[in-house]
Amino acid sequence: MSRLLRRILGALLVAGLAVAGLLAATAGATTTTAPPAELAAVGPTDPVTGFPSWYRDSNGLSTTPCVDGTDPLCGLAAGVMPNPTQPTVFPTNYPNEAFYASATATITLPGGGKAELVTGLEAAFATTGRVTPGQQVTFGRVRLRIDTPTGGHYTITHPYGVDEFDVAAGGTRTINYTEDVGLGTAGFAGALGARTNPFLSWDTGLVTGLSGAQYLGDPAVPHRVTGSALGTNFFKVEGPGLGTGSVQTDLFTVSGKVASRMGLDPGTPSYTRTSAGGFVDVFASGAGGQVMTVTGTGLNSTTLRGDAAGHYFGRVAFDGVQPAEVTVSNVSDRPATVATIKLVDRVVVSRADYDADARTLTVQAASSDAVVNPGMSADGYGALDSSGHRVFTSVDAPPATLQVSSGAGGHGSAAVVVTGGALSADQVVAVGGPDRTVTQGQAVVLDGSASLHATGLAWTQTSGTTVALTGADTATASFTAPNSGGALVFRLTAQGPGGPVTDDVTVTVGAVAPPVANAGPDRTVPVGDAVTLDGSASTGAANYTWTQTAGTPVTLAAAGTAKPTFTMPRSTTPLTFRLDATGPGGSATDTVVVSATPDPITVTTATYRSGKREWRISGTAGVVAGNSVTVWLGPALGGVKIGTSVVDTAGAWSVRLTGSNIVPGTPPTVTIESTRGGVRLAAPVTVSK
């Protein structure tokens, strides 16, 4: 296999399989065109590998995972299976990723950049990189990775649609978009919603391998394709900086094996028997038009009846004791797909009644084994008697569906039927809050929101100097404490079940005390952070006034409240604010100092390659949220700007520029500035050819 082919197929390795649905790494990605139809069907799960036997596209073409490391037409990437020279055995020698279909295309852009399209329907494992039974997943992928020459609007056309991107600036992989459909969904049907329909194949027809199997193409040979429902059997990039405005290719590397074995789902075969003999019943499923049989000890081999939708049924008589297991085979497959399944009885639950008044659950069930009582139990409750009956008492919360299990392995269920009256309604509880002491002129809020099950709340004053209540018919009423001392009593009345009920709260108005201003503790914050000053710990205050007395001037929002806000500026001088708190007892002041925290900037790489006129500068920042860096040429701020980068969630940033007309000075240095106050002056640059 060529190194290019290995690299392209290796790009399909699963990354982050725990994430479900659609993943887009480029902001502003918009899919404006998609195929008109989805994949048509998914086949039964292979009993050996745990993956669907096949997927069928809307053209009726079915493909199966190509998992033979010795078959070059499978196009398996290096390292996906332990020993590709040996026969495939699940799970000991099985690829950790394989494909039902894949098609990739690559374009070299003006200036040397790359544009890559990766599409596929993949079989992999949620435990990335490891073959783990029980962790099988399938998903459809469309991935675009494009080095754009410059910023602007780009339109990407490919066999599965049109995607558009708004790019802020040119650079490596500035379009980096991955759409995975099917991850995180139950079963394997989620991948049917992927855009990768129909499967792409060589425009000259299917490729036949040495074994006689057919393939969508030979992945070692780039080739023109057919299959796009949109008629766009090419990969095209349109946008600024592309010479004539667009570049495209119609050559794809294609892999995928046409399904010749359609597999089967054997279902759960069951038996019914009496002293005179019995029957084995099989309900299997798979693709329509298959020949399926059932065999077993003491059974005549019998072909199942089937319909076009892929449902299959068989009933086979036996004498005496039923076999322990049966084998269901799809003999249309070459070799036949075979599943050997333990035979179980069939359980029918005829009664699952819950009496809400008596708190009893009555269960009646029967096994299809009328010769030997296998013993049955209601899951979560206990054993039934020999007749399959039981009344369970003191049941507070029955299930919506009751399952009964048999000692012979069968299970049956029935919806629980509920009788009896309604449960008692919760009684209303009035909670007026704790008694408290306030000062004259203080704004007071009465809070009854902790009341329970109330349909209505109302406040009334029952004693003390009369005050004007605002919001008396709501959970929270308010008033201003009068300019005289004494106790004020308020009654909260709650309406509701068992009501009305009341609760009293006493508010004692104390003597007027001088206010105490509390502007909060001094602190340091990053540049650009929203800062909230907090004077709410002040006492005896009815009014608040904030004034900045030192530092870079800022705009205070809501300066007449307890909690004004401002945005921390870039400043080496601390900002000082004075709080004036006034109330009935006079006024008081307090100050608080807010200092800027420099954003620590590190430079891990700073290089310039004169041959490619390429800059690569990267590093870390201490502040992650809402932060970006600008790289300037030279030892100080404000020189020629080389580029900008957003700081990612790990604190990393990177600026890369190819074909630049900006050259290093003497000595070669750059200066990095972050929007959150960080500066790294005169970082040395390594210059090479």
Side-chain angles (χ1 to χ4, degrees):
M1 184 184 298
S2 70
R3 185 167 60 182
L4 174 61
L5 175 60
R6 293 181 187 274
R7 181 172 63 84
I8 293 173
L9 291 177
L12 282 168
L13 282 169
V14 182
L17 287 178
V19 180
L22 305 182
L23 302 176
T26 302
T30 302
T31 298
T32 56
T33 305
E38 297 181 347
L39 293 167
V42 57
T45 300
D46 186 288
V48 176
T49 69
F51 285 108
S53 301
W54 47 266
Y55 276 92
R56 180 175 297 142
D57 69 12
S58 57
N59 288 336
L61 181 63
S62 299
T63 59
T64 191
C66 207
V67 295
D68 185 354
T70 65
D71 186 347
L73 295 179
C74 284
L76 292 177
V80 298
M81 65 188 304
N83 192 340
T85 66
Q86 296 299 312
T88 302
V89 178
F90 185 89
T92 55
N93 194 39
Y94 194 84
N96 57 43
E97 63 157 2
F99 302 93
Y100 293 86
S102 72
T104 66
T106 303
I107 302 173
T108 299
L109 302 177
K114 297 293 184 183
E116 291 183 336
L117 167 70
V118 178
T119 69
L121 181 60
E122 183 166 349
F125 297 86
T127 48
T128 307
R130 300 197 310 275
V131 175
T132 308
Q135 296 294 311
Q136 291 90 337
V137 295
T138 59
F139 59 94
R141 167 170 288 181
V142 173
R143 170 175 283 173
L144 293 164
R145 286 177 169 169
I146 301 174
D147 307 333
T148 59
T150 184
H153 186 80
Y154 287 83
T155 300
I156 316 301
T157 305
H158 52 83
Y160 296 123
V162 177
D163 296 285
E164 300 188 44
F165 302 86
D166 290 311
V167 179
T172 302
R173 288 190 180 178
T174 47
I175 294 178
N176 187 11
Y177 173 76
T178 300
E179 175 187 281
D180 288 341
V181 177
L183 295 177
T185 58
F188 299 106
L192 294 174
R195 278 199 278 168
T196 48
N197 174 70
F199 301 133
L200 301 182
S201 61
W202 278 13
D203 66 345
T204 53
L206 298 175
V207 174
T208 301
L210 295 177
S211 66
Q214 290 189 303
Y215 302 81
L216 302 179
D218 182 342
V221 180
H223 202 281
R224 292 184 177 90
V225 297
T226 186
S228 170
L230 303 170
T232 52
N233 293 300
F234 54 83
F235 174 35
K236 180 179 182 180
V237 181
E238 298 175 90
L242 297 176
T244 60
S246 68
V247 290
Q248 74 177 66
T249 182
D250 56 3
L251 297 180
F252 291 77
T253 57
V254 177
S255 70
K257 186 175 184 180
V258 177
S260 59
R261 302 177 71 241
M262 306 311 291
L264 65 90
D265 181 349
T268 305
S270 62
Y271 72 89
T272 302
R273 69 167 176 159
T274 66
S275 58
F279 298 93
V280 170
D281 293 321
V282 178
F283 300 86
S285 61
Q290 304 295 292
V291 178
M292 296 196 185
T293 65
V294 56
T295 59
T297 303
L299 302 180
N300 293 322
S301 177
T302 302
T303 298
L304 308 184
R305 291 202 303 252
D307 61 18
H311 304 116
Y312 295 87
F313 169 75
R315 167 165 267 213
V316 186
F318 63 84
D319 295 324
V321 178
Q322 75 282 355
E325 59 187 23
V326 296
T327 298
V328 182
S329 304
N330 183 347
V331 297
S332 297
D333 287 346
R334 293 291 185 271
T337 299
V338 175
T340 299
I341 309 297
K342 178 183 177 182
L343 200 60
V344 301
D345 63 341
R346 177 170 290 182
V347 176
V348 176
V349 182
S350 58
R351 185 178 180 188
D353 297 342
Y354 179 69
D355 187 329
D357 295 331
R359 296 190 301 153
T360 58
L361 178 63
T362 302
V363 181
Q364 182 68 57
S367 167
S368 61
D369 193 331
V371 178
V372 177
N373 186 347
M376 293 181 291
S377 62
D379 292 4
Y381 293 94
L384 308 183
D385 64 21
S386 59
S387 68
H389 180 266
R390 178 85 181 266
V391 178
F392 298 96
T393 60
S394 300
V395 177
D396 290 320
T401 301
L402 179 75
Q403 178 166 288
V404 174
S405 299
S406 163
H411 301 278
S413 62
V416 173
V417 177
V418 180
T419 60
L423 302 183
S424 299
D426 295 328
Q427 300 297 294
V428 65
V429 178
V431 180
D435 297 339
R436 54 192 147 144
T437 298
V438 300
T439 59
Q440 296 175 23
Q442 180 179 337
V444 182
V445 176
L446 303 173
D447 190 353
S449 59
S451 301
L452 302 176
H453 319 304
T455 58
L457 295 171
W459 291 91
T460 57
Q461 184 177 0
T462 60
S463 68
T465 302
T466 301
V467 298
L469 279 176
T470 300
D473 58 351
T474 67
T476 53
S478 61
F479 66 94
T480 301
N483 294 326
S484 60
L488 311 178
V489 180
F490 299 90
R491 176 164 295 167
L492 173 65
T493 300
Q495 302 289 346
V501 295
T502 62
D503 186 32
D504 290 347
V505 60
T506 299
V507 178
T508 301
V509 181
V512 176
V516 175
N518 186 339
D522 296 343
R523 52 188 151 148
T524 58
V525 297
V527 172
D529 265 14
V531 181
T532 299
L533 303 176
D534 190 354
S536 60
S538 303
T539 59
N543 298 292
Y544 302 86
T545 302
W546 292 86
T547 307
Q548 183 177 1
T549 60
T552 301
V554 299
T555 300
L556 278 176
T561 67
K563 296 182 178 181
T565 60
F566 68 93
T567 300
M568 189 66 198
R570 187 188 302 274
S571 175
T572 57
T573 303
L575 280 59
T576 303
F577 301 90
R578 185 184 72 240
L579 169 63
D580 292 295
T582 60
S587 62
T589 63
D590 189 25
T591 59
V592 62
V593 177
V594 183
S595 303
T597 302
D599 177 20
I601 298 294
T602 64
V603 178
T604 56
T605 301
T607 63
Y608 176 78
R609 298 178 64 184
S610 59
K612 292 186 176 181
R613 295 183 294 161
E614 178 185 66
W615 288 93
R616 289 191 180 186
I617 307 102
S618 63
T620 63
V623 181
V624 173
N627 198 8
S628 63
V629 300
T630 298
V631 179
W632 303 95
L633 182 67
L637 297 172
V640 175
K641 183 169 73 174
I642 297 175
T644 62
S645 172
V646 174
V647 178
D648 67 20
T649 56
W653 54 266
S654 176
V655 172
R656 180 178 177 181
L657 195 60
T658 302
S660 173
N661 292 323
I662 303 171
V663 296
T666 303
T669 61
V670 292
T671 293
I672 295 87
E673 174 187 26
S674 82
T675 58
R676 302 303 293 273
V679 175
R680 171 68 165 88
L681 298 171
V685 176
T686 300
V687 179
S688 65
K689 294 184 179 181

